[in-house]
Amino acid sequence: MKAFMDDDFLLTNETGKELFHRYAEPMPIVDYHCHIDPEEIAENRKFNNITQLWLGGDHYKWKLMRANGVEEKYVTGDGSDREKFQAYAEALPKAIGNPLYDWTHLELKTYFGYRGALSGETAEEVWNLCNRKLKTDEMSVRGILKQSKVKLVCTTDDPTSSLDAHKRIREDPSCSVKVLPAWRPDSVLNIEKKTFPSYIAKLSDASGSAIESFDSLCGALRKRLDFFGKAGCRASDHGLNKIVYAPAPREEVDKVFRAALAGKSPTGKEIDEYKYAVLFFLAGEYAKRGWVMQIHYGAARNVNTAMYRRLGPDTGFDCIAPGNSGAGLAEFLDVLFRESRLPKMILYSLNPNDNLYIDSVIACFQGTEAAGKLQHGAAWWFNDTKAGMIDQLTNLSSLSLLGNFVGMLTDSRSFTSYPRHEYFRRILCNLIGSWVENGEYPDDRKALKKLVEDVSYRNAVRFFNFPV
């Protein structure tokens, strides 16, 4: 029997062990999509305790605690930090097979040197150990990034952002990690929301130009794209419920936009036409700038409406959307390709049933601008599990080129989430190792070294043209 979380955790064959320890493990990290706060990097925040670090904004952990019947007071409410940590520790032993169990213990081992198992009985010991360690400089935000071998981070930023924190980070020679903004224009697309007119007013202020028509909206967005570009932006990201193909005459889109600014609620058809028009415009802008367009789709948001009204968005009440959320993907890619507006792109679906569809459709639109110009993104959210990663890697390998894959990202709000890259690399190396030992790929260590190092790190650097 193997020891719990030993050095060969998740590695079940000798080739996989060598590939991980010799080639994958030493590689640095570029985190090209996450939700960490650049302000906390600028100020080099130190967390007062492990609850603030782990539970302050992690809806993965909140969902696990709710599944154990924990009162909301000890999840997002006014319970003490010590009580919240205890509630999480008591739920964790039941989470066998859940990636949170693995991630939690990888983080405890990596950052706090703890090799035991967190439970209700060990919570006091772990609480005291972690809180002592959090007082040290190596556990400041920048200290965590440095010891995690993070070279570059892309945060997630609204088009109206001043990017002031990014400017302070760039101008601070004591910060060793590069921090770039990533363009996240979801609020520009959400024409159906009551807050849409006020958001457009905010965008108008940020761009310094009046927005009264769809053409003037596009002009304002170009100004903000230029501003982000000067700050080093290389990527955009879109969180979409679905991908639609809904072309409409420009004058019709303008009419819908003006009506929404006046407070009129658009119809479902009008919503689709407006969102398609904005995505079509932005894709062309990304292509001109050499940016990567990321699309995350297939989430049903805030399905527990009572808890949404109580706690707001991103609090753990989203799920996989039923049906075909990517129905318009092929048509969208086709028109972009025909009109030379197709940027480099990474596609993530929350529905694992879309894996083979994504891999098959991107094969129809690859280009010479980059190896793997269109990418099937890493297993996302509810698929960010051992089984989900294996499925994504297997499907990608079956229909495309694993050697061009841009690899893992954290997609997290926690600064101690970087062991997720280790988790991914262990799974990757074990899978490749199994193919080699089964005689499905030659035991060519030079080729395997390049493959593993590229997927772990170098492909992402090349694909995004990162300055590292």
Side-chain angles (χ1 to χ4, degrees):
M1 179 184 296
K2 291 183 67 175
F4 173 61
M5 300 284 284
D6 68 359
D7 288 345
D8 291 331
F9 173 59
L10 297 179
L11 301 170
T12 61
N13 58 76
E14 294 306 312
T15 302
K17 292 175 185 177
E18 183 173 354
L19 294 179
F20 174 73
H21 291 302
R22 289 191 63 183
Y23 307 133
E25 190 174 24
M27 297 303 288
I29 289 171
V30 290
D31 191 12
Y32 56 84
H33 175 69
C34 72
H35 298 278
I36 57 178
D37 185 354
E39 182 62 36
E40 293 183 333
I41 302 175
E43 67 184 28
N44 199 21
R45 179 183 176 182
K46 281 188 177 181
F47 295 89
N48 293 328
N49 59 57
I50 187 64
T51 297
Q52 290 182 8
L53 177 63
W54 265 7
L55 298 173
D58 192 335
H59 55 79
Y60 288 82
K61 294 186 177 73
W62 295 346
K63 291 183 79 141
L64 184 144
M65 295 162 74
R66 291 176 187 134
N68 201 40
V70 174
E71 185 181 347
E72 195 65 30
K73 172 181 179 180
Y74 304 113
V75 182
T76 62
D78 60 1
S80 71
D81 286 349
R82 179 64 183 86
E83 290 171 322
K84 291 177 179 178
F85 182 74
Q86 185 71 31
Y88 179 67
E90 290 176 359
L92 197 60
K94 300 178 183 180
I96 184 171
N98 190 307
L100 272 173
Y101 195 86
D102 298 337
W103 298 344
T104 294
H105 290 98
L106 280 174
E107 291 176 31
L108 286 174
K109 182 176 76 169
T110 299
Y111 299 110
F112 302 100
Y114 183 75
R115 291 181 173 269
L118 177 60
S119 66
E121 290 73 28
T122 61
E124 181 69 14
E125 173 192 3
V126 175
W127 171 264
N128 291 328
L129 170 68
C130 292
N131 293 346
R132 284 197 301 271
K133 192 72 177 287
L134 285 170
K135 291 183 171 66
T136 65
D137 289 342
E138 67 178 347
M139 288 303 293
S140 69
V141 161
R142 295 185 191 177
I144 293 169
L145 292 172
K146 183 176 181 179
Q147 64 176 302
S148 303
K149 296 183 292 189
V150 178
K151 294 290 187 181
L152 183 144
V153 171
C154 289
T155 58
T156 306
D157 306 278
D158 186 88
T160 62
S161 172
S162 69
L163 303 183
D164 176 67
H166 293 84
K167 182 175 184 292
R168 285 154 48 208
I169 294 167
R170 284 197 309 274
E171 295 174 350
D172 185 348
S174 68
C175 185
S176 60
V177 64
K178 288 184 169 61
V179 182
L180 303 182
W183 171 270
R184 178 80 176 225
D186 290 2
S187 294
V188 178
L189 277 83
N190 291 334
I191 193 171
E192 72 277 16
K193 293 194 173 182
K194 293 181 179 179
T195 55
F196 184 74
S198 61
Y199 176 80
I200 295 300
K202 184 178 179 182
L203 179 63
S204 176
D205 290 341
S207 65
S209 55
I211 301 177
E212 300 170 342
S213 65
F214 188 74
D215 283 345
S216 58
L217 170 67
C218 294
L221 290 173
R222 284 193 188 95
K223 288 183 178 181
R224 298 306 295 168
L225 287 162
D226 291 342
F227 177 75
F228 270 61
K230 290 176 182 177
C233 185
R234 301 280 198 284
S236 69
D237 183 64
H238 296 265
L240 306 175
N241 292 345
K242 59 183 179 179
I243 300 177
V244 298
Y245 178 71
R250 186 85 164 194
E251 57 269 21
E252 289 299 319
V253 176
D254 183 66
K255 183 179 178 181
V256 171
F257 178 72
R258 290 174 184 269
L261 288 186
K264 182 181 177 181
S265 297
T267 66
K269 178 175 178 288
E270 290 171 339
I271 292 169
D272 288 348
E273 289 174 346
Y274 169 78
K275 290 188 176 184
Y276 173 81
V278 174
L279 285 172
F280 179 80
F281 163 75
L282 287 174
E285 292 296 317
Y286 304 151
K288 285 192 294 187
R289 290 170 165 79
W291 291 11
V292 176
M293 182 179 193
Q294 298 178 89
I295 298 178
H296 290 80
Y297 74 92
R301 303 282 182 178
N302 309 311
V303 297
N304 186 331
T305 56
M307 292 303 290
Y308 168 65
R309 285 192 291 269
R310 178 178 168 185
L311 299 176
D314 303 320
T315 50
F317 300 101
D318 305 329
C319 68
I320 298 172
N324 186 4
S325 299
L329 176 58
E331 291 85 355
F332 181 53
L333 296 178
D334 184 46
V335 70
L336 293 177
F337 189 89
R338 284 200 319 266
E339 301 195 17
S340 301
R341 300 175 67 90
L342 181 63
K344 289 184 286 187
M345 189 178 291
I346 307 177
L347 296 163
Y348 314 79
S349 173
L350 202 53
N351 191 332
N353 293 328
D354 287 353
N355 279 357
L356 288 172
Y357 171 66
I358 289 175
D359 289 321
S360 67
V361 76
I362 64 176
C364 301
F365 298 100
Q366 297 291 10
T368 57
E369 300 94 320
K373 178 179 177 180
L374 271 64
Q375 293 268 337
H376 179 185
W380 170 45
W381 201 345
F382 299 113
N383 306 306
D384 194 2
T385 65
K386 177 184 174 183
M389 289 183 187
I390 292 172
D391 286 347
Q392 188 269 349
L393 289 168
T394 303
N395 292 153
L396 172 61
S397 301
S398 298
L399 297 183
S400 189
L401 295 175
L402 178 61
N404 286 337
F405 181 40
V406 294
M408 189 55 177
L409 65 165
T410 63
D411 193 24
S412 174
R413 291 168 173 80
S414 172
F415 285 94
T416 53
S417 290
Y418 289 102
R420 295 185 191 182
H421 284 257
E422 176 188 341
Y423 193 72
F424 166 81
R425 292 174 184 182
R426 286 176 180 271
I427 290 168
L428 171 73
C429 291
N430 196 65
L431 183 61
I432 293 173
S434 70
W435 289 333
V436 172
E437 295 199 359
N438 199 39
E440 298 175 56
Y441 193 89
D443 189 11
D444 179 342
R445 294 306 162 103
K446 181 179 180 181
L448 291 168
K449 176 180 186 292
K450 182 178 189 320
L451 182 68
V452 167
E453 291 181 347
D454 281 353
V455 175
S456 297
Y457 175 70
R458 294 197 183 99
N459 285 345
V461 174
R462 286 191 287 262
F463 190 71
F464 287 88
N465 192 27
F466 283 142
V468 295

